[in-house]
Amino acid sequence: MSLTNASPLEAAQAAKSASHVLATLSAESRNDALTAIHAALTAARDDILAANARDLELARQAAADGKLSQSLVARLDLGKKGKWEDMLKGILDVRDLEDPVGRVTLRTRLDDGLELERVTCPIGVLLIIFEARPEVIANIAALAVKSGNAAILKGGKESTESFVAISRVISAALERTQVPNAAIQLVTTRDVIPELLALDRHIDLVIPRGSNDLVRYIKTNTRIPVLGHADGLCSIYLEASVDPALAVDVIVDSKTNYPAACNSLETLLVQESALATHLPRVAAAVAAKGVELRCDEASKAALEQHQPPIPNLVLTSATERDFTTEFLSLTLAVKTVPSLAEAIAHINAHGSHHTDAILTASKEAAEAFMSGVDSAGVYWNASTRFADGTRYGFGTEVGISTNKIHSRGPVGLEGLMIYKYKLRGQGQVSAVYGEGEGRKRFLHERLPLD
Amino acid sequence: MSLTNASPLEAAQAAKSASHVLATLSAESRNDALTAIHAALTAARDDILAANARDLELARQAAADGKLSQSLVARLDLGKKGKWEDMLKGILDVRDLEDPVGRVTLRTRLDDGLELERVTCPIGVLLIIFEARPEVIANIAALAVKSGNAAILKGGKESTESFVAISRVISAALERTQVPNAAIQLVTTRDVIPELLALDRHIDLVIPRGSNDLVRYIKTNTRIPVLGHADGLCSIYLEASVDPALAVDVIVDSKTNYPAACNSLETLLVQESALATHLPRVAAAVAAKGVELRCDEASKAALEQHQPPIPNLVLTSATERDFTTEFLSLTLAVKTVPSLAEAIAHINAHGSHHTDAILTASKEAAEAFMSGVDSAGVYWNASTRFADGTRYGFGTEVGISTNKIHSRGPVGLEGLMIYKYKLRGQGQVSAVYGEGEGRKRFLHERLPLD
């Protein structure tokens, strides 16, 4: 890993060459590099947290001046309870995952002595662009090394001190391993993103981690495939059949556990028949946590007319726009729907295909919801906040994808792999095969994978 | 299937809604639709071939006037030996493939009563843009129906008559099935491609089938992911250890079987020690088929100095540009390399990551080549022409992808699928899980897939 002042083109060319070496290293060599990174970061804890404190101080000043959001400051804080430990644990979790490289996923005998094999391999060169969250550097470096991909990292300026501190440590650690130096390139020069995005011959995948604006900017300005989500507009459909206490727990967690997260709840759809039986209790519970409600007419009436009055209720009339807004704050849009079919249709039309849940006692309704909602995550009686690579057991994640191809939902190691077809023959030619008279037929015999 | 004069937006919205229905149809319903399409096309053979003959006549005139290439005329001809039969067989082959929808590919117990499942599902709405090749309509309709995807088809004007004839037949056949009418939309109005490419909220994947220029234009002008290859610059590395007769067979087939195809040979890399032993025989064989050689100095000298002189040899000096050119004709670039490592490096730097082969008697050299060459297909002692979905046993193909994500190489049914995560709980919330004291740990227990 090198802190480089190389040009974007030089960095990308070097990363491409390194990727060809990294792709042929053994699992043991890649795992050893992760062990080395973990040990070095553990030893350097105090230095890194001190650097992070300097970033934080500047960020807090900027936030006080109104130049930076509080949620960005929160994401920047590596000293926040459990964050450092999670970062380090993530590296070992990734190391201890099954090796994703070289797995045979298809074997077919095309003809005698002509065997086709599909084998997993790294994608090549990843470009990771992120804003704050300094721990992402360690996560991404771990995932890249484990998966045999080279990576170019471009961090936001707010985390520069943390970023440089972590990368120096990783760089020194990798020097003593077989991972080529240029396999992980840190780009610290400014304003290079447009140049990097033009390098579609050298960079195979862009993974932006940051604001919606950043993701949209990137998607509009590159021919390189982009893996990421522009929005996390998650909905819950509350059916009258569900235990109201369960509904309160799940909705409070989905909305208030971490409102700035992409997997937090933004729209609550309420079955008409649950307006009187369930909604008041749910509204009281989220109101107690400071959530402001934007309600359609029916849900507004149900809450305002409830006796006794619901304490702390902050309630306004929803506009159509509220149902396509990712608030990322303690605001919740509430809409009444007559049926499951309308709930599914609303989510498919208004949601962002990230994670949506149904709360119901009916298995049939739950299965119809999970089959009909076109989202990366479709949940039955569980918080939308579970949409996360670590929680899914992927070790760590590079992000959550709302793409419809390649990798969807939390992206772990598998999302960084592709495959190649190996064909081993004995001089076979295509001309002799076909449907006509006197042509050979292919056998297409499926073979066992090991 | 409908022949529509709807606007691109209307077509895409209708396709999106239809995709939500199509995605929930049973395998039986989708297979029944394919049976109906096959029967209807079989019955309408004469009408369709007559329509195709009208397209062909216009195309031949245009080719005679120099306005259309001969290779396009060849691709247009549905009456070419075996083409019609292949088209019909492809529909049944696709029908008889394993159902790709609803396959469980991962099951994890996150905690007691909280189970995660990853299930395959259709991508959604595909936009297929193709130039000639009228049989593509039937291929794509079959693959879309089988995979549960809606598709918008936009064909080239040269195949309009064939295209309309085939689509009318398919449309009538689908009327009697459960596949919604708007699931397959034919757009016949002109100049709508820019509008379609802007509809990234409704269209999930673009699959261009046509010239490199078409693919490049599309990649530059849309935020929708594009599946396709811009180039097919395939190489063969000829090692001195291989049986010269095997080399002749494979190189002749790779270069001359169908020079306009993307999986045809464009660059021959010759091990230095094979210049005298193998190259003359190979050159004589391809020269006999009308192939013109563009040689580097060493290979040129070896061929020109060969005694007795090689008959029919047409040979010029190669320029650097010849090694990055997809000739798509009877022209072959020849370059001498000292070693396997140089061959791999040349291919990774100059090739298009489509399909590359090594001809060698050494298993070690073959495995090193297949591991080190970063291409969708890496072959040992077999013709590059095997890179094809039908030949791989995929039933039929939507194209060959040189993308580094999602789907690589010949793309069959699996390339049209994505997955969703279903999480079934009992009211679990995220707040209670974590690494700190008093927090619950996830079980992350891998469960059997059935």
Side-chain angles (χ1 to χ4, degrees):
Chain A
M1 193 179 227
S2 58
L3 269 174
T4 175
N5 286 309
S7 76
L9 178 61
E10 288 163 344
Q13 286 172 329
K16 193 62 152 191
S17 296
S19 79
H20 293 138
V21 177
L22 184 55
T24 63
L25 290 184
S26 70
E28 201 186 349
S29 300
R30 286 177 275 116
N31 289 344
D32 286 348
L34 295 182
T35 306
I37 290 172
H38 181 267
L41 287 173
T42 303
R45 182 177 185 276
D46 293 347
D47 286 352
I48 292 169
L49 290 184
N52 184 242
R54 293 193 293 274
D55 281 334
L56 264 178
E57 197 183 314
L58 284 175
R60 287 201 181 106
Q61 279 170 14
D65 298 348
K67 288 175 190 160
L68 215 60
S69 74
Q70 283 297 344
S71 67
L72 194 144
V73 176
R75 284 199 291 272
L76 195 57
D77 186 358
L78 210 48
K80 195 187 156 203
K81 197 179 171 230
K83 216 173 192 177
W84 174 265
E85 290 72 22
D86 284 354
M87 176 182 103
L88 285 180
K89 182 168 182 299
I91 296 168
L92 296 189
D93 284 350
V94 168
R95 183 197 63 188
D96 296 341
L97 291 169
E98 258 179 86
D99 187 43
V101 181
R103 286 176 44 220
V104 178
T105 58
L106 183 79
R107 279 184 69 214
T108 307
R109 178 173 290 132
L110 302 190
D111 196 359
D112 291 322
L114 186 64
E115 286 188 16
L116 182 72
E117 194 177 81
R118 188 175 64 198
V119 187
T120 60
C121 62
I123 289 174
V125 177
L126 316 174
L127 168 62
I128 326 281
I129 300 174
F130 48 99
E131 293 185 328
R133 296 191 191 265
E135 75 275 19
V136 168
I137 307 171
N139 286 345
I140 295 291
L143 283 165
V145 169
K146 179 77 183 184
S147 62
N149 285 288
I152 299 172
L153 310 177
K154 175 75 186 89
K157 67 177 191 310
E158 292 79 11
S159 56
T160 300
E161 292 263 353
S162 319
F163 173 81
V164 168
I166 294 176
S167 61
R168 275 192 209 287
V169 171
I170 296 181
S171 177
L174 283 184
E175 277 298 328
R176 298 183 299 272
T177 76
Q178 289 187 51
V179 172
N181 204 271
I184 312 245
Q185 296 269 334
L186 301 178
V187 177
T188 53
T189 45
R190 289 188 181 195
D191 305 327
V192 295
I193 292 178
E195 285 175 71
L196 287 166
L197 293 179
L199 299 173
D200 60 325
R201 277 190 59 86
H202 301 94
I203 297 171
D204 299 301
L205 182 64
V206 186
I207 305 176
R209 291 196 63 166
S211 69
N212 302 351
D213 288 346
L214 175 73
V215 178
R216 281 213 198 83
Y217 168 80
I218 288 168
K219 287 197 173 185
T220 309
N221 287 285
T222 187
R223 274 185 295 188
I224 308 169
V226 180
L227 192 71
H229 69 275
D231 293 287
L233 205 162
C234 302
S235 300
I236 287 182
Y237 173 48
L238 170 60
E239 261 208 354
S241 64
V242 77
D243 173 10
L246 184 156
V248 166
D249 285 352
V250 171
I251 292 167
V252 167
D253 188 75
S254 297
K255 184 64 219 175
T256 69
N257 180 252
Y258 191 173
C262 64
N263 56 14
S264 288
L265 176 65
E266 305 292 5
T267 296
L268 177 64
L269 300 171
V270 185
Q271 190 179 17
E272 214 156 4
S273 51
L275 282 178
T277 53
H278 291 64
L279 183 61
R281 216 167 134 178
V282 167
V286 295
K289 296 273 190 175
V291 173
E292 175 207 331
L293 302 178
R294 307 240 174 123
C295 295
D296 72 339
E297 271 186 46
S299 61
K300 189 161 178 270
L303 292 176
E304 288 180 336
Q305 288 156 21
H306 190 262
Q307 288 303 329
I310 298 165
N312 307 310
L313 196 64
V314 181
L315 187 157
T316 55
S317 290
T319 63
E320 192 49 36
R321 200 184 151 76
D322 288 320
F323 297 108
T324 54
T325 299
E326 185 184 9
F327 299 107
L328 293 172
S329 64
L330 290 173
T331 303
L332 178 65
V334 182
K335 187 184 174 82
T336 312
V337 290
S339 69
L340 174 62
E342 303 250 358
I344 293 172
H346 177 94
I347 292 171
N348 283 339
H350 297 78
S352 69
H353 315 288
H354 188 295
T355 303
D356 301 286
I358 182 171
L359 307 182
T360 181
S362 158
K363 184 175 161 56
E364 288 68 35
E367 296 298 332
F369 179 91
M370 291 190 287
S371 165
V373 169
D374 179 20
S375 293
V378 282
Y379 291 5
W380 176 22
N381 292 348
S383 169
T384 57
R385 290 275 296 138
F386 285 111
D388 173 275
T390 311
R391 289 168 182 173
Y392 277 13
F394 299 165
T396 182
E397 65 174 33
V398 282
I400 296 183
S401 162
T402 55
N403 285 15
K404 297 296 288 288
I405 66 161
H406 187 65
S407 197
R408 198 181 190 198
V411 180
L413 224 39
E414 278 188 45
L416 302 182
M417 308 306 295
I418 186 68
Y419 50 78
K420 55 167 72 169
Y421 288 95
K422 295 184 179 179
L423 182 65
R424 297 179 178 91
Q426 300 169 346
Q428 283 87 349
V429 299
S430 71
V432 301
Y433 297 91
E435 289 301 312
E437 250 189 59
R439 312 287 286 278
K440 288 190 81 172
R441 300 290 189 278
F442 286 103
L443 298 180
H444 290 153
E445 181 187 345
R446 188 75 65 93
L447 299 173
L449 295 184
D450 40 41
Chain B
M1 194 179 224
S2 58
L3 269 174
T4 176
N5 286 308
S7 76
L9 178 61
E10 289 163 343
Q13 285 172 328
K16 192 63 152 187
S17 296
S19 79
H20 293 140
V21 177
L22 184 54
T24 64
L25 290 184
S26 70
E28 200 186 349
S29 299
R30 286 177 275 116
N31 289 344
D32 286 349
L34 295 183
T35 306
I37 291 173
H38 181 267
L41 287 174
T42 303
R45 182 177 185 274
D46 293 348
D47 286 353
I48 292 169
L49 290 184
N52 184 244
R54 294 193 293 275
D55 281 334
L56 264 177
E57 195 183 317
L58 285 175
R60 286 201 180 106
Q61 279 170 15
D65 298 349
K67 289 175 189 161
L68 216 58
S69 72
Q70 283 298 346
S71 66
L72 194 143
V73 176
R75 285 198 290 272
L76 196 57
D77 187 359
L78 209 48
K80 196 188 156 203
K81 196 180 172 224
K83 216 172 193 179
W84 174 264
E85 291 72 21
D86 284 353
M87 177 181 100
L88 284 180
K89 182 168 183 299
I91 295 169
L92 296 188
D93 284 349
V94 167
R95 183 195 64 186
D96 296 341
L97 289 170
E98 258 180 89
D99 187 42
V101 181
R103 286 176 45 220
V104 177
T105 58
L106 183 78
R107 278 184 70 215
T108 308
R109 179 172 290 133
L110 303 190
D111 196 359
D112 292 322
L114 185 65
E115 287 188 15
L116 182 72
E117 197 176 82
R118 189 174 62 197
V119 187
T120 60
C121 62
I123 288 173
V125 177
L126 316 175
L127 168 62
I128 325 280
I129 300 174
F130 49 98
E131 292 185 328
R133 294 190 192 266
E135 75 275 19
V136 168
I137 306 172
N139 286 346
I140 295 290
L143 284 165
V145 169
K146 179 77 182 184
S147 62
N149 286 288
I152 299 172
L153 309 178
K154 176 74 186 89
K157 67 177 192 310
E158 291 79 9
S159 55
T160 299
E161 294 263 352
S162 320
F163 173 82
V164 168
I166 295 176
S167 61
R168 275 191 209 287
V169 171
I170 296 181
S171 177
L174 282 185
E175 277 299 328
R176 298 182 299 274
T177 76
Q178 290 186 51
V179 173
N181 203 272
I184 311 246
Q185 297 269 334
L186 299 178
V187 178
T188 53
T189 46
R190 290 192 181 191
D191 304 328
V192 294
I193 291 178
E195 287 176 70
L196 287 167
L197 294 179
L199 299 172
D200 60 325
R201 276 190 61 84
H202 302 93
I203 297 170
D204 299 301
L205 182 64
V206 186
I207 305 176
R209 290 195 65 164
S211 70
N212 301 351
D213 288 344
L214 175 74
V215 179
R216 281 213 197 84
Y217 168 79
I218 288 169
K219 287 199 173 185
T220 309
N221 287 285
T222 188
R223 276 184 295 188
I224 308 170
V226 180
L227 192 72
H229 70 274
D231 294 286
L233 204 161
C234 302
S235 300
I236 287 181
Y237 174 48
L238 170 61
E239 262 208 353
S241 64
V242 77
D243 172 10
L246 184 156
V248 165
D249 285 351
V250 171
I251 293 168
V252 166
D253 188 75
S254 298
K255 183 64 220 175
T256 70
N257 180 253
Y258 192 172
C262 63
N263 55 14
S264 289
L265 176 66
E266 305 292 6
T267 296
L268 177 64
L269 300 171
V270 185
Q271 189 178 17
E272 214 158 3
S273 51
L275 283 178
T277 53
H278 291 63
L279 184 60
R281 214 165 135 181
V282 167
V286 294
K289 296 273 190 174
V291 174
E292 173 207 332
L293 302 178
R294 307 243 175 120
C295 295
D296 72 340
E297 270 188 46
S299 61
K300 188 162 180 267
L303 291 176
E304 288 180 337
Q305 288 156 22
H306 188 264
Q307 288 303 333
I310 299 165
N312 306 310
L313 197 63
V314 181
L315 189 156
T316 55
S317 290
T319 63
E320 192 49 35
R321 201 184 151 77
D322 289 320
F323 297 108
T324 54
T325 298
E326 184 184 8
F327 299 106
L328 294 170
S329 64
L330 290 172
T331 303
L332 178 65
V334 182
K335 187 184 173 81
T336 311
V337 290
S339 69
L340 175 61
E342 303 251 356
I344 294 173
H346 177 95
I347 292 171
N348 283 339
H350 297 77
S352 68
H353 314 289
H354 188 297
T355 303
D356 302 286
I358 182 170
L359 307 182
T360 180
S362 158
K363 183 174 163 54
E364 288 66 35
E367 296 299 331
F369 179 90
M370 291 190 285
S371 166
V373 169
D374 179 21
S375 294
V378 282
Y379 291 5
W380 176 23
N381 290 350
S383 168
T384 57
R385 290 275 297 139
F386 285 111
D388 173 275
T390 310
R391 288 167 182 174
Y392 277 12
F394 300 164
T396 181
E397 66 173 33
V398 283
I400 297 184
S401 163
T402 54
N403 284 14
K404 297 296 287 288
I405 67 161
H406 187 66
S407 198
R408 199 180 191 198
V411 179
L413 223 39
E414 278 187 45
L416 301 181
M417 308 306 295
I418 185 68
Y419 50 79
K420 55 167 70 169
Y421 288 96
K422 296 183 177 179
L423 182 65
R424 296 178 178 91
Q426 299 169 346
Q428 284 86 348
V429 299
S430 71
V432 302
Y433 297 89
E435 288 301 312
E437 250 190 58
R439 312 287 287 280
K440 289 189 82 174
R441 301 290 190 277
F442 286 103
L443 298 179
H444 290 153
E445 182 187 343
R446 189 73 68 91
L447 299 172
L449 295 184
D450 40 40

